[in-house]
Amino acid sequence: MKRILRLPSLLRLTLVFFIAIAFQNCSQEKIKEKTDETLNITEYLRANSDYSMFLEILDMTNYASFMNTYGTYTVFIPTNEAVKQYLTDVGATSLSEIPLEDLQNIARLHILDQKVTTTSFTDGKIATPSLHGQYLITGASNKNGVSSVTVNKSASIVASNIELGNGVVHIIDKVLLVANKTLAQTIAENPNLSLFTEALKATGWFDELNKPLTKDENNVSSYLSVLAQTNEVFAEAGYTTLDQLKARYSHLNNPMDKKDSLNLFISYRILPGLQYLADIAVSPALVTKAPLEVISAKLSKDTILLNDDIFNGILEKGVAIDRAVSDVTASNGVLHFVEGNFAIKKRLPAPVYFEFTDIAEFRRLTSIWRKPGAAFQDVPLSEAGIDVTWDGKTTDGASRISYNKAANGTAITNGVAGCWGADVLEIYRFRDATCQNIAFKTPVIIKGKYKVWISYRQKASKLGNVKVFFDGVELPRQINLHEGGNTDTAGTPETVLESQGYKRYAQPWSNRVNCRLVGTIDVTTTARHTLTLQSQFNAGDSAWFDLVEFRPVEMNQLYPKFQAGGSGLIYQ
């Protein structure tokens, strides 16, 4: 020690430094490797022995590592008791006896690639499909005075909204099963649909409903939706045998003929596409497999009514869909049950009010779409293609549209709050050098002549004229996005404005919005059509569009108006 003290001071300091380093290296260094201690979904399963059998399914199918990555997932986790019951139901003693493909299907059916809490559940399908591609159906049940949320009408949620690092999980008491039977098989195995099954076979539609799911050259799936009638419904209408149906409807005595009335009777109950009750409830008209024929639909309280319409001031009572037993998923579509017999109706042109925000690309934004409060969400070009397409590059950040909604209570003078529903479609940099063309699939429009009105929020600079095309045909008038509602500042009568191709479409009225008549069209087929907006100006800015009206030419073009900031209609 004395020798050390005799060393020069600089050398003593150096020696102390190296001794400290040595002691530090000998001690265990503790480094926090995570900034968030919340468990991921796989970690949560490993920490809870009650769900070890579902974890085993994920391990066997390699989904365990997938569910341990960053993301925003929703997983419906069956308990061990639920998995044991599944094994008993299929006659197996362990998961190793189940084919790997079946386990993969089960795993994918229980996982959604989006965070969905129970506050987003409705009495119907969850907006986001499972990784398997099939939708899950939620509802409410009451057993022994205890209410619970059900999934696919079989499993009950016993614990919900468990927030984890990469999503949310819900605990269920049954394993969800993949629908692997076709619509034809699903219908045929139901004894209450025996007469409907006979009619399907007699008209050739049974074979169509028995085809496996395919996709066409445009990647559109061959899903179908069926509105089935039970034997009881047929009996109430006076039909108990196939011969009676033939005698009443088969005017060509050849049900296989597509023009035969019995064939049309059946094809009128078959809808193209995957139409769950949640979709039907918001669809004013449903396209059917009967050529040029549609079914009107509307929601009355909690009942969906078909062909319940007022024509010439007279109410034509429709039939209700039996919601309790409908929404039956099949491998190639979905099955519903109607509570009454109904026939094809001759349809007259009817108004269609299409909000530009009512598109699949926005509807899947379940946390903000048409929810209270302000909201804004971009949709990139890479996510387009269901109801809307536009030009640009998927790698270009400017190639996007946005859902833009004003908060409740915002002054009507604000451009968005003055629009119907207080929301607009925003096109970012709407210009010929970035995004020049944007095309929309319209709702079903019944064949006839219509005037086309387009409403938008004014932009005082940069943006210019916009051409409008219907099914590829240019309409005679363009929209000038510089023009606002100040066209009526001199108290111009509305009839005079209408004659000039303008109107005050919303009430209360805001001079920040405008409505332009772009032309008259002749709709030759009852179907969905394509409406295209084309920018004619290079100085890009955000363009805001509210809605497009297709009004029959003989209809009042000024009323009903649209509730600014709300969803209602205002009649004269």
Side-chain angles (χ1 to χ4, degrees):
M1 176 62 72
K2 291 181 178 179
R3 291 179 180 177
I4 294 176
L5 293 176
R6 291 172 184 167
L7 293 174
S9 59
L10 179 59
L11 186 59
R12 289 202 307 270
L13 288 174
T14 303
L15 183 60
V16 171
F17 174 76
F18 279 109
I19 293 174
I21 291 293
F23 275 109
Q24 185 177 15
N25 288 336
C26 291
S27 63
Q28 184 175 3
E29 185 176 7
K30 295 183 180 180
I31 301 175
K32 186 176 181 180
E33 297 181 350
K34 285 187 177 182
T35 58
D36 185 358
E37 299 293 343
T38 305
L39 298 177
N40 280 342
I41 293 171
T42 299
E43 295 171 333
Y44 174 80
L45 289 170
R46 296 197 191 283
N48 288 272
S49 59
D50 290 339
Y51 318 128
S52 59
M53 296 188 73
F54 184 69
L55 175 62
E56 185 178 352
I57 293 175
L58 296 184
D59 281 330
M60 295 172 68
T61 58
N62 292 323
Y63 275 93
S65 57
F66 176 72
M67 297 312 301
N68 203 35
T69 59
Y70 174 80
T72 52
Y73 304 104
T74 299
V75 182
F76 292 86
I77 301 175
T79 63
N80 288 347
E81 292 303 315
V83 179
K84 291 176 183 177
Q85 183 61 52
Y86 164 74
L87 292 175
T88 300
D89 293 341
V90 299
T93 58
S94 68
L95 289 170
S96 60
E97 298 177 17
I98 307 298
L100 180 60
E101 183 180 359
D102 291 352
L103 294 179
Q104 290 171 335
N105 288 337
I106 287 174
R108 288 193 292 262
L109 187 66
H110 287 73
I111 301 172
L112 279 60
D113 192 13
Q114 185 173 329
K115 184 177 176 181
V116 182
T117 63
T118 55
T119 57
S120 300
F121 290 176
T122 60
D123 186 13
K125 76 169 186 180
I126 297 176
T128 302
S130 67
L131 293 188
H132 184 274
Q134 291 184 357
Y135 286 90
L136 302 183
I137 309 299
T138 59
S141 69
N142 191 297
K143 297 179 182 178
N144 301 321
V146 178
S147 297
S148 63
V149 177
T150 61
V151 184
N152 282 9
K153 302 184 179 182
S154 61
S156 294
I157 295 180
V158 296
S160 62
N161 302 327
I162 301 172
E163 296 278 354
L164 297 174
N166 58 344
V168 62
V169 300
H170 310 287
I171 311 301
I172 53 178
D173 64 358
K174 278 191 177 182
V175 173
L176 305 176
L177 301 179
V178 172
N180 53 18
K181 295 180 179 178
T182 65
L183 282 164
Q185 293 168 336
T186 304
I187 293 169
E189 73 177 11
N190 189 331
N192 293 323
L193 296 176
S194 60
L195 182 52
F196 190 71
T197 301
E198 287 185 70
L200 288 174
K201 292 180 178 179
T203 56
W205 280 103
F206 188 89
D207 292 337
E208 291 295 321
L209 298 180
N210 203 33
K211 291 180 178 179
L213 189 66
T214 59
K215 292 186 177 182
D216 63 15
E217 63 277 6
N218 297 317
N219 204 35
V220 177
S221 299
S222 60
Y223 284 116
L224 295 172
S225 303
V226 178
L227 304 169
Q229 293 183 196
T230 63
N231 295 342
E232 183 181 358
V233 169
F234 275 122
E236 289 176 352
Y239 312 111
T240 57
T241 68
L242 179 60
D243 287 338
Q244 290 175 331
L245 281 177
K246 288 180 178 179
R248 170 63 180 85
Y249 292 107
S250 184
H251 78 296
L252 297 179
N253 296 318
N254 182 13
M256 286 288 185
D257 191 324
K258 296 296 184 182
K259 297 179 181 179
D260 184 83
S261 295
L262 182 57
N263 196 295
L264 292 170
F265 177 89
I266 294 299
S267 61
Y268 192 56
R269 287 154 174 74
I270 301 174
L271 318 176
L274 201 58
Q275 303 278 355
Y276 282 90
L277 293 183
D279 305 303
I280 294 175
V282 296
S283 302
L286 306 170
V287 175
T288 73
K289 284 294 185 177
L292 305 181
E293 301 295 347
V294 299
I295 298 172
S296 67
K298 69 180 181 182
L299 184 63
S300 177
K301 296 182 179 179
D302 60 349
T303 302
I304 298 176
L305 298 174
L306 304 177
N307 285 351
D308 191 85
D309 305 299
I310 296 177
F311 281 104
N312 296 323
I314 300 174
L315 173 64
E316 298 178 355
K317 290 188 176 181
V319 300
I321 294 180
D322 190 342
R323 298 187 67 166
V325 295
S326 293
D327 269 349
V328 179
T329 299
S331 62
N332 59 348
V334 60
L335 174 65
H336 305 294
F337 293 77
V338 294
E339 296 182 353
N341 188 53
F342 63 100
I344 294 175
K345 287 187 176 182
K346 179 67 176 178
R347 289 294 172 208
L348 300 175
V352 173
Y353 307 130
F354 170 46
E355 285 190 87
F356 287 106
T357 56
D358 192 10
I359 55 178
E361 286 79 2
F362 288 165
R363 286 195 298 269
R364 66 190 178 198
L365 304 175
T366 54
S367 62
I368 63 171
W369 185 70
R370 293 185 174 174
K371 295 291 177 66
F376 187 90
Q377 179 66 52
D378 289 334
V379 174
L381 179 58
S382 58
E383 297 180 15
I386 301 176
D387 283 343
V388 58
T389 57
W390 65 94
D391 47 25
K393 297 179 181 179
T394 56
T395 56
D396 182 1
S399 295
R400 64 180 186 264
I401 60 174
S402 306
Y403 178 70
N404 189 331
K405 185 178 184 301
N408 292 350
T410 304
I412 292 298
T413 53
N414 176 281
V416 178
C419 296
W420 197 28
D423 59 3
V424 293
L425 162 84
E426 179 172 314
I427 307 172
Y428 181 63
R429 296 181 67 184
F430 193 31
R431 54 185 290 186
D432 61 13
T434 306
C435 171
Q436 184 179 19
N437 299 279
I438 181 166
F440 303 86
K441 284 292 184 183
T442 72
V444 172
I445 305 174
I446 300 172
K447 59 183 178 181
K449 287 184 178 290
Y450 295 83
K451 290 187 177 182
V452 183
W453 299 82
I454 293 183
S455 302
Y456 59 93
R457 191 262 201 196
Q458 174 201 25
K459 277 297 184 77
S461 63
K462 292 187 178 181
L463 293 170
N465 285 2
V466 176
K467 289 184 178 180
V468 181
F469 298 79
F470 184 80
D471 286 344
V473 178
E474 183 180 350
L475 300 187
R477 293 177 176 175
Q478 297 184 18
I479 300 169
N480 183 350
L481 295 178
H482 290 172
E483 292 182 334
N486 56 7
T487 52
D488 69 332
T489 53
T492 307
E494 287 195 283
T495 53
V496 175
L497 284 176
E498 181 188 357
S499 68
Q500 297 171 350
Y502 300 93
K503 66 175 179 176
R504 307 165 195 157
Y505 77 101
Q507 188 172 317
W509 180 240
S510 164
N511 63 8
R512 300 287 296 278
V513 296
N514 202 5
C515 185
R516 181 67 163 135
L517 176 66
V518 292
T520 301
I521 59 174
D522 188 2
V523 179
T524 57
T525 58
T526 298
R528 298 184 72 183
H529 295 269
T530 302
L531 183 85
T532 303
L533 305 177
Q534 184 184 87
S535 174
Q536 301 299 300
F537 206 64
N538 193 43
D541 196 356
S542 294
W544 294 359
F545 288 93
D546 189 7
L547 78 149
V548 53
E549 305 170 42
F550 300 94
R551 293 190 183 234
V553 291
E554 67 276 5
M555 178 182 175
N556 187 319
Q557 301 296 309
L558 300 178
Y559 286 90
K561 294 180 183 291
F562 303 88
Q563 181 184 5
S567 59
L569 296 175
I570 300 171
Y571 292 86
Q572 191 171 14

